[in-house]
Amino acid sequence: MAKRLGNIGIVYDFQGDYPKALDYYFKSLKMFEDLGNKNGIAADLGNIGNIYDKEAGSQKTEIKRDSLFNKALTYYFRSLKIAEELGNKNGIAIWLSNIGIVYDKKAGCQKSDVRRDSLNKKALDYYFKALKMDEELGRKSGIATNLGNIGSLYSSAGKFKDAEEYLQKALALSIEIGSKEGVMEWEQNISELYSKLRTPRYKLALEHYKLYIVYRDSIANEENTKKQTRIEMQYEFDKKEAATKAEADKQAAVAEAESRRQKIILYFVLCTLFIVLVFAVFIFRALRITQKQKQLIELQKKVVEEKQNEILASIRYAKRIQDALLPTEKYIDKTLKRLMKNN
């Protein structure tokens, strides 16, 4: 999270949105401090210093500008201290150079010669320290930058011989490493140097100025090419994104249609199940009624059968009584015959 916050700050820094960049740098710094991650702390401190340095350049009042330069120095020194504790020579070289640049800029804003000379001395001190560290590391880009910064400062101070020596070294090294930005900057500074001499060397100044223009235009063309490439890439990206979105919308529409179809099927199935359930309840109730009626009929049949059996039993019982009390037909016939015979 701390790294991502710092990266977001870098993007806002690149876009020139310094308030947002600072906001994210400070969030990242706090998180790295909570973690005790000194490398992260040093990086954020340095980035915060860079923002204050950039903001100072856009200020119109000397007081505001000087205040921001001092803030930049505060954070650079804090970052430098951590880099020294960690033995991070690359970081040490960068922050030493940045400190020198801020002192150099502060000197350029001073009206007092004494104050300006004091700041120039500090700037040179840090430039030379940074140069020594970059030489130990063999970091040619840093060496070229510090040589050029030293030469430019000497030029501003009127030490033209020393200025020419360091600017020529910076130019040669920038050409060697293929740094067009470096070559452009030092060609311009050398051209201005030859124009400021007590006996101006306008021919050399013009030659170096022409070379400055060549490199400036070359870089501008490269930037335009990069810009055009970015535009084309953005167009291709937008086109692919639109196609992707259209495909996604199509798939979403298909998915939505399928979802609706499934819902309709689900509703149909549920309705069918409901109808079947209602019908089943109706059948169940009908069966229960039929079963109850059957049970009632069977009960009534049983009652009738029982009554019938009782009646038959009574008849048989009465018949047995009757048979027991009345004389038999044979007896009556016999008796009648005897009486008739006697008469």
Side-chain angles (χ1 to χ4, degrees):
M1 287 176 65
K3 288 179 181 178
R4 299 298 174 268
L5 287 167
N7 288 343
I8 294 170
I10 289 170
V11 174
Y12 280 124
D13 186 350
F14 181 77
Q15 293 177 338
D17 192 340
Y18 300 140
K20 283 188 177 179
L22 278 176
D23 181 40
Y24 280 95
Y25 284 150
F26 277 116
K27 287 178 181 177
S28 176
L29 175 62
K30 185 178 183 306
M31 196 164 286
F32 274 130
E33 286 175 339
D34 291 340
L35 293 167
N37 186 322
K38 290 190 174 182
N39 283 312
I41 294 170
D44 282 327
L45 289 170
N47 286 333
I48 292 168
N50 290 338
I51 294 294
Y52 286 132
D53 179 26
K54 292 173 184 177
E55 285 188 323
S58 62
Q59 300 302 314
K60 295 180 180 179
T61 64
E62 183 179 340
I63 295 174
K64 184 66 174 175
R65 187 166 52 244
D66 203 54
S67 173
L68 288 169
F69 278 139
N70 288 337
K71 281 186 177 182
L73 286 172
T74 297
Y75 283 94
Y76 283 152
F77 276 118
R78 286 177 63 186
S79 185
L80 174 62
K81 183 180 178 182
I82 294 174
E84 288 172 341
E85 289 174 1
L86 296 172
N88 180 359
K89 291 186 177 181
N90 190 61
I92 293 170
I94 291 171
W95 306 133
L96 285 170
S97 180
N98 285 2
I99 291 168
I101 290 170
V102 174
Y103 278 130
D104 196 345
K105 289 179 180 178
K106 280 171 66 71
C109 300
Q110 300 301 315
K111 294 178 182 179
S112 166
D113 291 340
V114 175
R115 178 66 174 158
R116 183 167 52 251
D117 289 344
S118 173
L119 289 170
N120 278 336
K121 185 177 178 181
K122 286 184 178 181
L124 274 175
D125 182 40
Y126 281 97
Y127 282 152
F128 277 114
K129 287 178 180 178
L131 176 61
K132 182 180 178 182
M133 186 66 68
D134 279 324
E135 287 174 340
E136 288 180 15
L137 293 168
R139 199 166 68 98
K140 290 186 177 181
S141 60
I143 294 170
T145 298
N146 286 303
L147 287 169
N149 287 338
I150 292 168
S152 297
L153 197 152
Y154 277 141
S155 179
S156 299
K159 298 180 179 180
F160 300 125
K161 184 177 180 181
D162 292 331
E164 182 182 12
E165 177 187 350
Y166 281 95
L167 285 172
Q168 288 289 0
K169 286 180 180 179
L171 176 61
L173 190 52
S174 294
I175 292 171
E176 179 186 334
I177 63 177
S179 172
K180 289 186 177 182
E181 289 80 4
V183 173
M184 178 188 73
E185 185 176 358
W186 310 135
E187 288 286 9
Q188 182 184 27
N189 287 358
I190 291 170
S191 174
E192 292 173 355
L193 168 66
Y194 286 138
S195 300
K196 290 191 296 184
L197 294 173
R198 291 182 180 84
T199 304
R201 300 167 69 180
Y202 292 119
K203 185 177 179 180
L204 281 174
L206 180 60
E207 288 177 1
H208 285 283
Y209 184 76
K210 286 180 179 179
L211 288 170
Y212 156 70
I213 295 297
V214 169
Y215 277 93
R216 186 196 67 181
D217 291 345
S218 175
I219 292 170
N221 289 335
E222 287 180 3
E223 285 299 318
N224 289 334
T225 301
K226 289 178 182 178
K227 184 178 179 181
Q228 183 61 33
T229 302
R230 284 196 294 270
I231 292 171
E232 291 174 0
M233 289 176 67
Q234 186 65 43
Y235 171 75
E236 290 296 325
F237 174 77
D238 290 341
K239 187 166 70 172
K240 288 180 179 179
E241 190 175 32
T244 302
K245 186 176 184 300
E247 181 62 25
D249 291 342
K250 181 180 176 182
Q251 291 180 359
V254 171
E256 187 177 354
E258 179 63 19
S259 177
R260 284 199 301 269
R261 189 180 72 85
Q262 290 180 354
K263 284 180 180 178
I264 291 170
I265 293 172
L266 180 61
Y267 291 150
F268 177 76
V269 171
L270 289 174
C271 289
T272 303
L273 288 174
F274 179 73
I275 292 170
V276 170
L277 181 62
V278 171
F279 186 71
V281 170
F282 175 76
I283 295 296
F284 178 73
R285 290 184 63 189
L287 287 172
R288 286 193 65 185
I289 291 170
T290 303
Q291 188 177 12
K292 286 182 178 180
Q293 289 175 343
K294 184 178 178 182
Q295 289 176 350
L296 181 60
I297 290 169
E298 289 180 352
L299 180 60
Q300 290 174 346
K301 181 182 177 183
K302 185 177 180 181
V303 170
V304 170
E305 288 178 349
E306 288 178 354
K307 293 294 183 183
Q308 185 179 7
N309 290 334
E310 288 178 4
I311 292 169
L312 290 174
S314 297
I315 292 171
R316 284 193 294 270
Y317 183 72
K319 187 176 182 298
R320 283 198 299 270
I321 293 173
Q322 185 179 15
D323 288 343
L325 295 174
L326 293 175
T328 63
E329 184 179 348
K330 185 176 181 182
Y331 175 78
I332 293 171
D333 185 54
K334 183 178 179 182
T335 302
L336 286 173
K337 286 182 178 181
R338 189 176 65 241
L339 289 174
M340 288 178 64
K341 184 177 180 183
N342 291 330
N343 291 328

